[in-house]
Amino acid sequence: MSVLVFLDPAFPDGRVADASVPQLLATDLGATRGDGVFESMLAVDGHPRKLESHLDRMAGSAAALDLDFPPAEHWEPAISTALAEFARVHGDPQAVVKLLLTRGPEGAQHPTAWVQASPVPASAAEQRKTGLDVLLLERGYDSTLAERAPWLLLGSKTLSYAVNMAAIRYAHEHGADDVIFTSADGKILEGPTSTVVLAVIEDGVKTLLTPELESGILPGTTQGALFRAAEEAGWQLGYGPLEPTHLHQADGVWLVSSIRLLAPVKSINGEAIAVSAELSAELNALVETVL
Ligand code: PLP
């Protein structure tokens, strides 16, 4: 069972709520229109990882939607309360922490904000170990649209994830585990819940590559942390544009995110690609040093 803690001016440490009974008004615009933003992060031993990066990104998403964003001083005690309650109920050292913010109930003029702490799904560690069969699926827009059309909220983490979830279901129905979206002009974008990272080793030079943010992808906090650690360890860094051939030619491809961390891609559209257990171990160890 998840733990819920609402941000509420009457409760400085957040208001604990029962996740087994209704807690939102049915008119909440987060529920009726997906009009809101969220973040998901991993907490270990009661400490949320990369909290500042997640709060910064969420503040950016909220600004894109013109939503009032509660300050970090309101989120932090609510997160601590949620993790203390989660430890009491589950006794589990790891938790998924979600921060959610909606435009609030219709006509109310105030947002709804809460923290949810839940167990980490077993599939996260499993997929990190076994790797992923991935389908390339069209996202339906070209890689220059984000800059022309800010109202599409590309690159913001909004609650409207129905398309992302539908893409993953489509992959499952077609014998794959996950998805890499491609743009209408044939560029690699991102996974429905992850950032694409490639490693290329050439003449002893090790390079990590990821698609460019200008293509409308979400700025991944895990990719950002990995790139900072890798640069310090002597890796070169590169930022798109990338095409499917780059995935096939790489020495390793991973879908990278806060909960699952680095999951190696084994095949793309049924065609095997290079998988390197050593590179996975090296990059996982690097990312652990900065989380
Ligand atoms: N891209 C999308 C669309 C996502 O939903 C996510 C995370 O959920 C990511 C990338 C990876 O972001 P992070 O590493 O911050 O978890």
Side-chain angles (χ1 to χ4, degrees):
M1 179 63 70
S2 291
V3 169
L4 300 180
V5 178
F6 280 76
L7 273 64
D8 183 332
F11 295 78
D13 292 331
R15 173 172 52 81
V16 179
D18 182 349
S20 68
V21 298
Q23 295 291 348
L24 281 185
L25 287 178
T27 55
D28 194 290
L29 291 162
T32 58
R33 288 187 174 156
D35 195 354
V37 297
F38 77 107
E39 283 293 325
S40 298
M41 68 198 86
L42 186 66
V44 180
D45 295 329
H47 300 289
R49 286 179 153 184
K50 307 186 259 84
L51 178 59
E52 203 182 324
S53 304
H54 285 285
L55 285 174
D56 283 353
R57 185 170 69 186
M58 195 175 181
S61 299
L65 271 71
D66 204 10
L67 266 183
D68 283 340
F69 185 66
E73 305 86 79
H74 294 184
W75 288 108
E76 282 162 6
I79 294 168
S80 298
T81 301
L83 286 172
E85 186 65 10
F86 181 85
R88 194 183 64 75
V89 175
H90 291 276
D92 190 334
Q94 295 209 338
V96 176
V97 174
K98 281 180 91 170
L99 312 183
L100 302 108
L101 176 70
T102 79
R103 200 172 298 282
E106 273 171 37
Q109 312 291 347
H110 61 78
T112 311
W114 72 100
V115 178
Q116 177 178 337
S118 325
V120 175
S123 59
E126 212 171 280
Q127 293 186 330
R128 212 161 41 234
K129 208 163 75 192
T130 59
L132 303 168
D133 294 313
V134 164
L135 293 186
L136 295 182
L137 296 184
E138 291 176 82
R139 191 66 182 79
Y141 51 77
D142 73 68
S143 63
T144 63
L145 181 63
E147 294 188 313
R148 293 200 306 279
W151 59 89
L152 292 180
L153 304 174
L154 301 176
S156 298
K157 199 164 168 67
T158 77
L159 285 171
S160 310
Y161 257 48
V163 166
N164 305 43
M165 298 298 106
I168 293 175
R169 282 196 302 276
Y170 182 92
H172 291 171
E173 283 157 17
H174 292 80
D177 304 303
D178 213 321
V179 170
I180 293 177
F181 285 127
T182 56
S183 65
D185 51 341
K187 306 289 186 258
I188 298 297
L189 294 172
E190 62 187 342
T193 62
S194 59
T195 311
V196 179
V197 170
L198 280 61
V200 174
I201 321 285
E202 234 170 38
D203 301 329
V205 178
K206 303 198 282 188
T207 307
L208 282 184
L209 298 158
T210 197
E212 72 285 11
L213 288 182
E214 293 75 14
S215 61
I217 59 172
L218 193 72
T221 63
T222 317
Q223 169 271 321
L226 171 66
F227 272 40
R228 281 191 293 281
E231 190 170 33
E232 286 215 351
W235 285 72
Q236 303 295 307
L237 306 178
Y239 299 88
L242 298 171
E243 296 185 353
T245 49
H246 293 108
L247 303 179
H248 290 279
Q249 290 161 1
D251 294 284
V253 177
W254 294 265
L255 293 187
V256 174
S257 55
S258 295
I259 313 301
R260 198 171 56 186
L261 303 174
L262 278 89
V265 177
K266 301 186 286 192
S267 75
I268 293 170
N269 292 350
E271 202 179 311
I273 62 164
V275 177
S276 164
E278 297 88 81
L279 282 175
S280 282
E282 181 178 346
L283 295 175
N284 269 306
L286 272 179
V287 89
E288 283 297 330
T289 63
V290 284
L291 291 182

